């Protein structure tokens, strides 16, 4: 998959015994005008280990001294690593199943080659058009704070959604159908009535080969149509742009 800009990620998960409902929070750029939501999350989490303590919810951007909040975030990251809150996982992908009251959606957790990504507006006809592109205009003045947060961060908590056009369901669906024989990594209710999240380790060579083969087929089809586009950033483009800038 490397030639397509995708890799097996280095994944850390909370160790056994951590309350995962308190650990997992929504992306930092959600509920930006509803501080009350984040205050309820803060009250629910308390002092428990949580990603809440390692992100910068954008509803607080207008507060004074953002540098102090960033220092606290970096301090928590160091603390969690020192105390063994996070456990390294073997090489592989994760099949993610997100259930809500309305539907269930599957995805694969992968690592992205930032050299294959651009947040600038390009089209398939452009020479050297990247395989991974944004679907929204990047607001450059939103990047400096995100860059500052990442510069000394020991951990990355991405909230990206990368979308593929796979009408034949060659990439994700075969893995989802095999979930019953995959090791289950987590299965828990999300806070604030946000549904349920289940993750399965994907390290079976046959499944990984099938994923790679399906992606290569999509890339070849796109190139034949005159556009090298393979993945579009459906959410989290500014986080990805900040990561590339660091």
């Amino acid at each position: 998959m490397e030639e397509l800009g995708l890799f097996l990620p280095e994944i850390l998960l909370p160790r056994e015994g951590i309350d995962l409902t308190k650990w997992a929070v929504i992306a930092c750029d959600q509920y930006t005008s509803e501080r009350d939501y984040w205050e309820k999350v803060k009250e629910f989490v308390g002092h428990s280990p949580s990603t809440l303590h390692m992100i910068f919810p954008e509803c607080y951007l207008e507060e004074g001294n953002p540098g102090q909040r960033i220092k606290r975030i970096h301090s928590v990251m160091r603390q969690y690593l020192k105390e063994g809150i996070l456990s390294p996982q073997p090489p592989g992908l994760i099949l993610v199943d997100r259930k809500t009251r309305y539907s269930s959606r599957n995805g694969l957790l992968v690592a992205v080659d930032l050299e294959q990504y651009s947040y600038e507006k390009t089209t398939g006809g452009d020479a050297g058009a990247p395989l991974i592109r944004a679907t929204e205009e990047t607001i450059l003045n939103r990047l400096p704070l995100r860059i500052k947060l990442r510069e000394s961060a020991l951990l990355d908590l991405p909230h990206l959604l990368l979308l593929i056009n796979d009408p034949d369901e060659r990439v994700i669906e075969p893995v989802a159908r095999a979930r019953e024989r995959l090791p289950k990594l987590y299965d828990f209710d999300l806070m604030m009535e946000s549904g349920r999240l289940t993750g399965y380790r994907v390290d079976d060579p046959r499944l990984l080969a099938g994923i790679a083969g399906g992606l290569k087929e999509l890339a070849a089809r796109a190139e034949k149509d005159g556009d090298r586009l393979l993945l579009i950033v459906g959410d989290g483009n500014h986080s990805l742009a900040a990561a590339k800038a660091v």
Side-chain angles (χ1 to χ4, degrees):
M1 295 188 294
E2 294 182 8
E3 66 271 26
L4 301 176
L6 301 174
F7 300 86
L8 299 183
E10 296 181 16
I11 299 173
L12 300 174
L13 291 178
R15 71 187 183 202
E16 188 175 352
I18 299 296
D19 186 336
L20 296 182
T21 299
K22 292 184 177 181
W23 174 264
V25 300
I26 201 167
C28 63
D29 60 354
Q30 301 297 303
Y31 294 98
T32 55
S33 61
E34 299 179 48
R35 181 176 293 203
D36 182 60
Y37 172 88
W38 287 101
E39 291 298 318
K40 289 178 180 177
V41 170
K42 183 179 178 181
E43 181 180 0
F44 173 72
V45 168
H47 297 292
S48 299
S50 175
T51 52
L52 176 65
H53 306 309
M54 296 187 286
I55 66 171
F56 198 140
E58 291 190 359
C59 72
Y60 299 119
L61 287 178
E62 301 304 320
E63 288 187 347
N65 199 5
Q68 190 62 36
R69 182 181 286 270
I70 290 174
K71 287 182 180 179
R72 289 200 304 268
I73 290 172
H74 292 162
S75 175
V76 170
M77 289 180 176
R78 290 192 296 270
Q79 175 189 345
Y80 284 3
L81 289 172
K82 181 179 179 180
E83 296 179 355
I85 297 294
L86 294 164
S87 176
Q89 301 299 301
L93 307 180
I94 293 182
L95 171 69
V96 179
D97 180 10
R98 167 73 186 280
K99 291 184 174 66
T100 69
R101 69 182 69 177
Y102 306 107
S103 64
S104 176
R105 293 181 294 177
N106 295 312
L108 292 170
L109 181 59
V110 302
V112 175
D113 182 0
L114 293 173
E115 295 301 317
Q116 297 282 6
Y117 157 77
S118 175
Y119 59 79
E120 298 176 351
K121 289 185 176 180
T122 58
T123 64
D126 296 338
L131 288 166
I132 307 168
R133 298 175 221 160
T135 57
E136 60 181 351
E137 182 177 358
T138 303
I139 303 172
L140 297 181
N141 63 13
R142 292 178 62 183
L143 297 183
L145 186 64
R146 295 170 182 263
I147 291 172
K148 187 175 181 181
L149 176 59
R150 283 180 172 273
E151 282 177 339
S152 300
L154 298 178
L155 299 170
D156 188 18
L157 289 84
H159 64 270
L160 309 171
L161 288 177
L162 301 179
L163 309 178
I164 57 175
N165 181 19
D166 184 19
D168 297 327
E169 300 183 345
R170 287 281 312 277
V171 179
I172 298 175
E173 284 73 14
V175 185
R177 288 194 292 268
R179 74 182 69 197
E180 295 303 322
R181 57 185 176 87
L182 299 178
K184 185 181 291 186
L185 297 173
Y186 50 81
D187 185 15
F188 64 98
D189 290 325
L190 295 163
M191 67 172 68
M192 309 291 282
E193 299 182 350
S194 298
R196 190 169 185 85
L197 194 65
T198 310
Y200 305 84
R201 178 177 296 122
V202 183
D203 55 8
D204 184 320
R206 291 171 297 179
L207 288 176
L208 293 175
I211 294 168
L215 289 169
K216 289 177 182 178
E217 184 176 304
L218 294 181
R221 184 184 304 171
E223 192 157 0
K224 184 178 180 181
D225 293 338
D227 191 340
R228 295 184 70 245
L229 178 63
L230 176 63
L231 296 151
I232 58 173
V233 184
D235 188 33
N237 178 62
H238 287 84
S239 290
L240 200 57
K244 183 162 186 174
V246 174

